[in-house]
Amino acid sequence: MTEIKLPDIGEGIAEGEIVAWAVKVGDQIEIDAPLVEVLTDKASVEIPSPVSGEVSEILFELGDLVPVGDVIIRLKSSESKATTNSQAAPEAAAHSLASRVPESTHKATDSDVLATPSIRRAAREKGLDLSQIKGSGPYGRILLEDLETTPEATVQSQASNLAVPPAAAKPKLANEKTSENEERIPLRGIRRKIAEQMVKAKFTAPDFLYADEADFSELVKFRQAVAPDLKAEGIKLTYLPFIIKAVVSALKKFPTLNASFDDLAQEVVLKKYYHIGFATDSPNGLFVPVIKHADQKSLLELSQEIVTLAERVREGKASSEEMRGGTFTITNIGAIGGIMSAPIINHPEVAIMGVNKIYQKPMVYQNEIAIRWACTLSLSFDHRVVDGADGARFTNHVIQLLENPQRLLLEI
């Protein structure tokens, strides 16, 4: 019998959450075959089998938090090309694993197919039966594009196939009342990590919000003038590259906003590099990919990297390296709507800027009332590190550059 433990994944990780088993008791598996997907604070990690054999016992269920070093599965091992040491280096990749199709004679169901948790969620939202979809990924794994090309005929006809396990099958809380008008969804996976991060950020940093309105009319005019030519070259030019450039310029002038706070040492760590994160919505939640050395890249290079990273996040292919190391974050909630927001700091960073809706409204321009393009910028910052005056001056600097694109180009 071979006992396989949750390996030391590195980077100070002490525990991981079980988010997907690739095997079940009785399965015959080969060496290096995927066993389980574990979610850590840094990334989703695939744990491969160090031996071949039969699955004898699975010790943890989905959603369980497992300390590093605990036995997670037992195998009746057969001939192996490797030692039974379970500390084999796992292959880290964001959302790279899911459930493998076990060899079985029973009718295929959603739980049998090879698909990541984010794909399963997207399928549920679309009302699709995964067992009826042919995956185009490795070993028949279902990818996001497979859902997009699925014909209407594969939509599940019975609501029972879509539902989570009934409330009666779940452990009841004290005085819990169940109702057919309610649904309980366990806080697991990425959703749990997002919740933990938000609570940590909100209760660690005494945040201060400063907001001001900018006149984006000249920026809108400039972008509208150059975007068509760039589109013909396959380059999508949004407002985000301009905002990143303006933010980097302001960070150089007000370095306390390009920093982190070391709670243990009680020290402010000023960063002399500019790694800008941008919040990206995906089927599996909100992620913040990071553009490294944004100060060294042109507007066009930033545009291309933004598109590439956003696509990788939405497809569940972004690596842990692409998701960490940020020194300042931008969240563009205005793409959805809203003229004001109060973004939560992406701890351990000390500041985040929210870009709200760009919309037309009457404004005073050259001593006259005119229809202009307005946008409110919302800056949340850690008041332990950043003084209110510096936060206001930082925002004013960003606004001045965005209101005058020609001046911004001189900064690049």
Side-chain angles (χ1 to χ4, degrees), residues 12 41 80 93 115-116 135-136 147 150 162 165 172 182 191 230 252 278 300 329 362 386 392:
D41 290 334
S80 171
T116 63
S136 60
L147 302 185
T150 299
L162 293 171
K172 289 187 177 181
E182 297 178 352
R191 206 67 250 170
L230 295 176
K252 291 181 177 180
F278 62 99
L300 297 185
T329 296
V386 183

mmCIF file of all heavy atoms in Angstrom, residues 12 41 80 93 115-116 135-136 147 150 162 165 172 182 191 230 252 278 300 329 362 386 392:
data_model
loop_
_atom_site.group_PDB
_atom_site.id
_atom_site.type_symbol
_atom_site.label_atom_id
_atom_site.label_comp_id
_atom_site.label_asym_id
_atom_site.label_seq_id
_atom_site.Cartn_x
_atom_site.Cartn_y
_atom_site.Cartn_z
ATOM 1 N N GLY A 12 5.905 28.957 0.867
ATOM 2 C CA GLY A 12 5.285 29.126 2.169
ATOM 3 C C GLY A 12 3.865 28.611 2.266
ATOM 4 O O GLY A 12 3.161 28.906 3.230
ATOM 5 N N ASP A 41 -3.241 29.420 -2.098
ATOM 6 C CA ASP A 41 -3.352 30.879 -2.182
ATOM 7 C C ASP A 41 -2.731 31.408 -3.461
ATOM 8 O O ASP A 41 -3.027 32.534 -3.880
ATOM 9 C CB ASP A 41 -2.640 31.536 -0.987
ATOM 10 C CG ASP A 41 -3.400 31.298 0.311
ATOM 11 O OD1 ASP A 41 -4.621 31.108 0.234
ATOM 12 O OD2 ASP A 41 -2.772 31.298 1.378
ATOM 13 N N SER A 80 6.452 0.200 -10.522
ATOM 14 C CA SER A 80 6.590 1.656 -10.636
ATOM 15 C C SER A 80 7.957 2.007 -11.145
ATOM 16 O O SER A 80 8.939 1.338 -10.864
ATOM 17 C CB SER A 80 6.375 2.313 -9.268
ATOM 18 O OG SER A 80 6.710 3.667 -9.317
ATOM 19 N N ALA A 93 -0.245 25.105 -12.496
ATOM 20 C CA ALA A 93 -0.850 25.864 -13.588
ATOM 21 C C ALA A 93 -2.249 26.219 -13.172
ATOM 22 O O ALA A 93 -2.933 25.412 -12.557
ATOM 23 C CB ALA A 93 -0.877 25.051 -14.880
ATOM 24 N N ALA A 115 -13.263 17.800 -17.181
ATOM 25 C CA ALA A 115 -13.541 19.231 -17.291
ATOM 26 C C ALA A 115 -13.157 19.906 -15.982
ATOM 27 O O ALA A 115 -13.313 19.329 -14.903
ATOM 28 C CB ALA A 115 -15.013 19.491 -17.609
ATOM 29 N N THR A 116 -12.652 21.131 -16.086
ATOM 30 C CA THR A 116 -12.255 21.879 -14.895
ATOM 31 C C THR A 116 -13.481 22.414 -14.173
ATOM 32 O O THR A 116 -14.568 22.508 -14.756
ATOM 33 C CB THR A 116 -11.349 23.065 -15.268
ATOM 34 O OG1 THR A 116 -12.101 23.966 -16.093
ATOM 35 C CG2 THR A 116 -10.115 22.595 -16.016
ATOM 36 N N GLY A 135 -14.988 16.673 -25.967
ATOM 37 C CA GLY A 135 -13.917 17.608 -25.645
ATOM 38 C C GLY A 135 -12.810 17.592 -26.679
ATOM 39 O O GLY A 135 -12.438 16.535 -27.194
ATOM 40 N N SER A 136 -12.265 18.765 -26.960
ATOM 41 C CA SER A 136 -11.189 18.874 -27.948
ATOM 42 C C SER A 136 -9.815 18.987 -27.299
ATOM 43 O O SER A 136 -8.801 19.064 -27.986
ATOM 44 C CB SER A 136 -11.424 20.107 -28.841
ATOM 45 O OG SER A 136 -11.446 21.298 -28.073
ATOM 46 N N LEU A 147 -17.832 24.492 -25.322
ATOM 47 C CA LEU A 147 -19.153 24.934 -24.873
ATOM 48 C C LEU A 147 -19.760 25.920 -25.858
ATOM 49 O O LEU A 147 -20.975 25.929 -26.071
ATOM 50 C CB LEU A 147 -19.068 25.571 -23.490
ATOM 51 C CG LEU A 147 -18.490 24.729 -22.359
ATOM 52 C CD1 LEU A 147 -18.601 25.492 -21.045
ATOM 53 C CD2 LEU A 147 -19.193 23.392 -22.252
ATOM 54 N N THR A 150 -21.295 24.118 -28.903
ATOM 55 C CA THR A 150 -22.219 23.025 -28.626
ATOM 56 C C THR A 150 -23.597 23.319 -29.204
ATOM 57 O O THR A 150 -24.156 24.386 -28.961
ATOM 58 C CB THR A 150 -22.350 22.816 -27.105
ATOM 59 O OG1 THR A 150 -21.073 22.468 -26.586
ATOM 60 C CG2 THR A 150 -23.340 21.700 -26.803
ATOM 61 N N LEU A 162 -29.128 19.506 -13.536
ATOM 62 C CA LEU A 162 -28.433 20.776 -13.334
ATOM 63 C C LEU A 162 -28.243 21.099 -11.872
ATOM 64 O O LEU A 162 -27.374 21.874 -11.517
ATOM 65 C CB LEU A 162 -29.231 21.920 -13.983
ATOM 66 C CG LEU A 162 -29.331 21.901 -15.493
ATOM 67 C CD1 LEU A 162 -30.319 22.966 -15.938
ATOM 68 C CD2 LEU A 162 -27.978 22.158 -16.104
ATOM 69 N N PRO A 165 -26.472 18.858 -5.244
ATOM 70 C CA PRO A 165 -27.098 17.853 -4.382
ATOM 71 C C PRO A 165 -28.140 18.500 -3.484
ATOM 72 O O PRO A 165 -27.938 19.600 -2.990
ATOM 73 C CB PRO A 165 -25.906 17.310 -3.562
ATOM 74 C CG PRO A 165 -24.745 17.506 -4.466
ATOM 75 C CD PRO A 165 -25.031 18.770 -5.209
ATOM 76 N N LYS A 172 -26.924 19.447 8.151
ATOM 77 C CA LYS A 172 -27.727 20.600 8.527
ATOM 78 C C LYS A 172 -27.091 21.364 9.674
ATOM 79 O O LYS A 172 -26.507 20.784 10.584
ATOM 80 C CB LYS A 172 -29.138 20.154 8.929
ATOM 81 C CG LYS A 172 -29.988 19.666 7.761
ATOM 82 C CD LYS A 172 -31.410 19.416 8.217
ATOM 83 C CE LYS A 172 -32.278 18.993 7.051
ATOM 84 N NZ LYS A 172 -33.682 18.776 7.460
ATOM 85 N N GLU A 182 -35.046 28.078 -1.765
ATOM 86 C CA GLU A 182 -33.680 28.451 -1.427
ATOM 87 C C GLU A 182 -32.698 27.422 -1.964
ATOM 88 O O GLU A 182 -33.046 26.254 -2.146
ATOM 89 C CB GLU A 182 -33.506 28.571 0.096
ATOM 90 C CG GLU A 182 -34.343 29.663 0.736
ATOM 91 C CD GLU A 182 -34.158 29.698 2.236
ATOM 92 O OE1 GLU A 182 -33.502 28.777 2.773
ATOM 93 O OE2 GLU A 182 -34.668 30.638 2.866
ATOM 94 N N ARG A 191 -13.812 30.957 -5.287
ATOM 95 C CA ARG A 191 -14.740 31.833 -4.565
ATOM 96 C C ARG A 191 -14.312 31.979 -3.108
ATOM 97 O O ARG A 191 -14.382 33.041 -2.523
ATOM 98 C CB ARG A 191 -16.131 31.227 -4.659
ATOM 99 C CG ARG A 191 -17.273 32.170 -4.555
ATOM 100 C CD ARG A 191 -17.363 33.101 -5.728
ATOM 101 N NE ARG A 191 -17.021 34.458 -5.379
ATOM 102 C CZ ARG A 191 -16.838 35.419 -6.253
ATOM 103 N NH1 ARG A 191 -16.931 35.180 -7.540
ATOM 104 N NH2 ARG A 191 -16.534 36.629 -5.876
ATOM 105 N N LEU A 230 -5.464 50.801 -36.063
ATOM 106 C CA LEU A 230 -4.845 49.738 -35.278
ATOM 107 C C LEU A 230 -5.664 48.454 -35.343
ATOM 108 O O LEU A 230 -5.105 47.347 -35.361
ATOM 109 C CB LEU A 230 -4.696 50.189 -33.823
ATOM 110 C CG LEU A 230 -3.734 51.370 -33.596
ATOM 111 C CD1 LEU A 230 -3.747 51.787 -32.131
ATOM 112 C CD2 LEU A 230 -2.318 50.985 -34.013
ATOM 113 N N LYS A 252 5.789 57.037 -10.072
ATOM 114 C CA LYS A 252 7.175 57.502 -10.004
ATOM 115 C C LYS A 252 7.278 58.802 -9.208
ATOM 116 O O LYS A 252 8.278 59.054 -8.527
ATOM 117 C CB LYS A 252 7.726 57.692 -11.415
ATOM 118 C CG LYS A 252 7.932 56.384 -12.174
ATOM 119 C CD LYS A 252 8.504 56.621 -13.557
ATOM 120 C CE LYS A 252 8.772 55.309 -14.278
ATOM 121 N NZ LYS A 252 9.334 55.487 -15.638
ATOM 122 N N PHE A 278 -4.401 44.239 -13.365
ATOM 123 C CA PHE A 278 -5.702 44.761 -13.801
ATOM 124 C C PHE A 278 -6.759 43.688 -13.577
ATOM 125 O O PHE A 278 -6.603 42.538 -13.993
ATOM 126 C CB PHE A 278 -5.676 45.225 -15.266
ATOM 127 C CG PHE A 278 -5.364 44.165 -16.281
ATOM 128 C CD1 PHE A 278 -6.374 43.543 -17.006
ATOM 129 C CD2 PHE A 278 -4.044 43.788 -16.536
ATOM 130 C CE1 PHE A 278 -6.085 42.566 -17.950
ATOM 131 C CE2 PHE A 278 -3.745 42.810 -17.480
ATOM 132 C CZ PHE A 278 -4.770 42.204 -18.190
ATOM 133 N N LEU A 300 1.128 50.273 -27.469
ATOM 134 C CA LEU A 300 0.746 49.132 -28.295
ATOM 135 C C LEU A 300 1.152 47.811 -27.638
ATOM 136 O O LEU A 300 0.406 46.828 -27.689
ATOM 137 C CB LEU A 300 1.374 49.249 -29.682
ATOM 138 C CG LEU A 300 0.940 50.464 -30.515
ATOM 139 C CD1 LEU A 300 1.529 50.391 -31.912
ATOM 140 C CD2 LEU A 300 -0.578 50.557 -30.583
ATOM 141 N N THR A 329 -2.822 48.054 -8.495
ATOM 142 C CA THR A 329 -3.897 47.423 -9.266
ATOM 143 C C THR A 329 -4.871 48.458 -9.802
ATOM 144 O O THR A 329 -5.179 49.449 -9.133
ATOM 145 C CB THR A 329 -4.654 46.397 -8.392
ATOM 146 O OG1 THR A 329 -3.758 45.346 -8.028
ATOM 147 C CG2 THR A 329 -5.832 45.799 -9.148
ATOM 148 N N PRO A 362 -23.289 67.213 -19.406
ATOM 149 C CA PRO A 362 -22.974 68.644 -19.512
ATOM 150 C C PRO A 362 -21.882 69.017 -18.509
ATOM 151 O O PRO A 362 -21.967 68.667 -17.328
ATOM 152 C CB PRO A 362 -24.303 69.330 -19.162
ATOM 153 C CG PRO A 362 -25.347 68.272 -19.309
ATOM 154 C CD PRO A 362 -24.678 66.980 -18.973
ATOM 155 N N VAL A 386 -0.032 55.786 3.017
ATOM 156 C CA VAL A 386 -0.267 56.921 2.117
ATOM 157 C C VAL A 386 -1.080 57.997 2.834
ATOM 158 O O VAL A 386 -2.166 57.715 3.359
ATOM 159 C CB VAL A 386 -1.028 56.463 0.851
ATOM 160 C CG1 VAL A 386 -1.207 57.637 -0.104
ATOM 161 C CG2 VAL A 386 -0.292 55.316 0.170
ATOM 162 N N ALA A 392 -4.525 62.429 -2.991
ATOM 163 C CA ALA A 392 -5.199 63.422 -3.836
ATOM 164 C C ALA A 392 -4.277 63.915 -4.939
ATOM 165 O O ALA A 392 -4.689 64.045 -6.103
ATOM 166 C CB ALA A 392 -5.676 64.590 -2.975
#
